[in-house]
Amino acid sequence: MIKFHAKTRLTLAALISAAFLSACEQPQKEESKKEEPNTAFESTYQAHSYHPVLIQNATILTAAGDRIDQGSILFKDGKIVAVGESVEAPADENLEVIDANGKWVTPGLIDVHSHLGVYPAPGVDSSADGNEMTAPVTAEVWAEHSVWPHDPQFELALSGGVTSMQILPGSANLIGGRTVTLKNVPARSVMEMKFPGAPHGLKMACGENPKRVYGNKGRSPMTRMANIAGFREAWIKAADYKKQWEDYENGEGNGKAPKRDLQLETLAGVLDGEILIHNHCYRADEMALMMEIAEEFDFQISTFHHAVESYKIADKLAENNVCSALWSDWWGFKQEAFDMVPENVALVEKAGACAIVHSDSPTGIQHLNKDAAKSMASGNAMGMNITPEKAIEWITINPAKSMGIAEQTGSLEAGKMADVVLWDGNPFSVYSKAEKVFIDGALMYDRHNEKYQPVSDFQLGQYDLEVDAQEEGAL
């Protein structure tokens, strides 16, 4: 037997203990490393701090089914605290009370279809980064990697009451790439604008655009039948890629991880239900075909965009739980956009399907409330009784549902993000304007206070130059 001095025994015990602890900890470290998520491009959005606000005596459209006349809304620390006919003012010396008599309050507006940042102003070729027209399937590209946060159009949308939006790639390709959901706030990078926790979307396009872009190059798709073949081919590859990873994670196969493929990774994300499909599609018959593909490969289409013929299949859309993103009266600019009716939004609504008014325009996004007003008027002229408390859902909670953020925003309910717009009148009047816009409870725009009228880096100095020029008589 080997004998050790007492001091030596203590040292050995300590070493053995350390070695044991190290051995015990090692698997945990390996496990932790294996499960460590990829944090590249994650949201770094931080809500601005602001004092508590109580808006009283307003007409409130909650987008949760209610209209409250002479109502109140209280928000604090970025969240809605209470909404109702009578909300008691808390004892807080920092509380700001706004008397909104004669004014209206709605949730912040949400545009489900925008290209701000990827087609920024001024519109020049060097910054037109929204369409990767090099192959019919480019699921590997992400719109957020083209977003220029200093696009001056973001501030213009804010002045129209828009607090969140989805930025999509263009519609040249069958599968154009990932979409991104943004908070409409000044930022230095797109990560600082990314809506926390919002799922990615995937832009797809059927109809004229893909077959025109690639047919003119003498390659497939040149026809609508090739469009469908291209979709099915892509989803067959995605299903196989998904199966390879499932086999690897279940310990089957040769034990080697499949080679990572950015394109198939995005498509597999759709099949796993983590990425939402946003499908540019005008004609009813093509929407029906796309729903067949979704059934074939077992995924859900979130929303058909520019769906001018949704009214023809509104019952099918309701049955399949698919939203329609629509214009009130923008149509006829190409053959597949001919057969629309101004009652389209209202007819989809009445069928029990999810109706959305969207822009797809840097100008239209500034007037979403007016586009919804026209759709409401067209429906009522047809004999429907569509109220403002229903129409507000087309530009708030319904796009939030489409984008997977309805649990956080889109309606005025206790606990949700305090994304709130104070209008100087009925928001469905052409004469009304957004007076104050709050995002996560912080005042981000005030029509009567230049301090809260943000300008982008691109605009800095322009106003001073204009003033100087005017003073010198040059303008």
Side-chain angles (χ1 to χ4, degrees):
M1 175 181 291
I2 301 174
K3 293 184 179 179
F4 297 99
H5 187 273
K7 187 175 181 180
T8 304
R9 287 201 299 271
L10 288 173
T11 302
L12 281 171
L15 288 171
I16 293 170
S17 175
F20 178 75
L21 287 174
S22 177
C24 290
E25 289 173 351
Q26 192 63 31
Q28 294 177 358
K29 288 180 179 176
E30 289 180 353
E31 187 67 24
S32 174
K33 184 176 180 180
K34 182 180 178 182
E35 295 181 354
E36 186 176 344
N38 184 353
T39 58
F41 316 115
E42 276 197 347
S43 170
T44 58
Y45 169 76
Q46 296 287 327
H48 291 222
S49 61
Y50 202 71
H51 51 258
V53 175
L54 174 62
I55 302 175
Q56 296 177 319
N57 303 317
T59 300
I60 301 176
L61 303 178
T62 65
D66 299 322
R67 167 177 171 155
I68 307 170
D69 293 317
Q70 293 297 303
S72 300
I73 179 170
L74 172 67
F75 44 92
K76 177 183 178 182
D77 297 331
K79 303 293 184 185
I80 297 170
V81 177
V83 186
E85 294 180 354
S86 177
V87 175
E88 185 175 349
D92 189 329
E93 63 181 11
N94 294 319
L95 178 70
E96 178 185 3
V97 178
I98 299 173
D99 182 2
N101 190 31
K103 301 178 181 179
W104 292 53
V105 170
T106 71
L109 307 191
I110 300 172
D111 192 357
V112 74
H113 194 117
S114 175
H115 299 296
L116 299 191
V118 299
Y119 286 109
V124 294
D125 289 344
S126 59
S127 58
D129 294 316
N131 248 328
E132 183 60 33
M133 295 184 287
T134 54
V137 177
T138 56
E140 68 275 16
V141 304
W142 297 18
E144 64 201 69
H145 298 152
S146 285
V147 169
W148 185 44
H150 306 310
D151 183 352
Q153 298 169 124
F154 284 120
E155 288 80 39
L156 296 175
L158 181 67
S159 68
V162 175
T163 55
S164 299
M165 68 193 78
Q166 178 172 233
I167 307 300
L168 304 95
S171 54
N173 299 344
L174 295 173
I175 300 178
R178 294 198 192 196
T179 75
V180 63
T181 297
L182 303 179
K183 284 276 191 175
N184 194 10
V185 295
R188 297 166 298 173
S189 74
V190 71
M191 283 74 75
E192 293 177 353
M193 301 177 75
K194 287 182 72 173
F195 194 107
H200 277 116
L202 178 65
K203 175 69 177 294
M204 295 170 58
C206 49
E208 291 184 21
N209 286 13
K211 80 187 194 79
R212 182 186 69 248
V213 170
Y214 293 99
N216 287 342
K217 296 177 181 179
R219 57 179 296 191
S220 181
M222 190 175 286
T223 62
R224 282 184 163 83
M225 57 186 172
N227 281 354
I228 298 299
F231 286 128
R232 298 179 78 198
E233 183 179 5
W235 291 114
I236 288 169
K237 292 178 181 176
D240 180 64
Y241 183 75
K242 178 174 181 287
K243 178 72 165 48
Q244 290 179 38
W245 275 100
E246 289 173 346
D247 287 348
Y248 166 70
E249 290 166 357
N250 291 331
E252 300 173 1
N254 60 12
K256 294 182 179 178
K259 184 179 179 181
R260 191 177 176 198
D261 184 306
L262 290 178
Q263 184 179 109
L264 295 176
E265 195 171 272
T266 292
L267 298 180
V270 173
L271 299 180
D272 286 332
E274 298 170 353
I275 297 175
L276 308 176
I277 291 289
H278 290 273
N279 196 164
H280 158 123
C281 213
Y282 288 76
R283 286 186 0 192
D285 60 310
E286 289 189 279
M287 287 186 263
L289 288 173
M290 297 308 293
M291 287 190 284
E292 290 291 319
I293 293 175
E295 184 174 351
E296 180 180 7
F297 294 97
D298 194 24
F299 63 80
Q300 173 69 37
I301 296 173
S302 168
T303 305
F304 286 120
H305 293 235
H306 319 333
V308 300
E309 295 187 12
S310 275
Y311 66 96
K312 296 181 180 179
I313 55 167
D315 58 330
K316 298 290 184 185
L317 296 168
E319 181 182 323
N320 286 279
N321 194 30
V322 180
C323 293
S324 296
L326 311 163
W327 297 294
S328 62
D329 54 4
W330 192 12
W331 56 351
F333 44 86
K334 55 181 174 177
Q335 193 273 336
E336 65 184 358
F338 276 4
D339 202 6
M340 200 194 86
V341 295
E343 298 85 2
N344 194 17
V345 178
L347 288 167
V348 170
E349 171 69 45
K350 283 299 180 184
C354 167
I356 297 169
V357 172
H358 69 338
S359 79
D360 189 24
S361 159
T363 303
I365 195 173
Q366 302 168 39
H367 306 283
L368 278 177
N369 56 314
K370 299 181 184 71
D371 222 26
K374 287 190 285 185
S375 294
M376 179 172 64
S378 295
N380 289 337
M382 195 179 182
M384 305 179 199
N385 180 29
I386 298 177
T387 60
E389 49 266 39
K390 174 56 66 178
I392 195 66
E393 296 178 9
W394 300 341
I395 48 177
T396 55
I397 191 64
N398 285 1
K401 291 175 181 173
S402 160
M403 295 152 61
I405 56 174
E407 294 294 319
Q408 297 101 315
T409 191
S411 60
L412 301 179
E413 298 175 273
K416 282 196 168 184
M417 293 172 169
D419 297 336
V420 179
V421 182
L422 174 64
W423 303 86
D424 61 7
N426 184 337
F428 297 110
S429 164
V430 71
Y431 299 109
S432 296
K433 297 181 176 63
E435 186 172 293
K436 297 179 188 291
V437 182
F438 299 87
I439 297 180
D440 286 304
L443 182 61
M444 303 303 290
Y445 175 78
D446 189 328
R447 189 168 297 276
H448 304 300
N449 187 345
E450 288 187 359
K451 179 182 176 183
Y452 293 99
Q453 296 175 10
V455 294
S456 76
D457 283 1
F458 183 76
Q459 294 170 294
L460 291 177
Q462 292 187 11
Y463 294 117
D464 291 340
L465 289 173
E466 287 181 3
V467 171
D468 292 344
Q470 286 173 342
E471 290 177 349
E472 294 172 3
L475 292 179

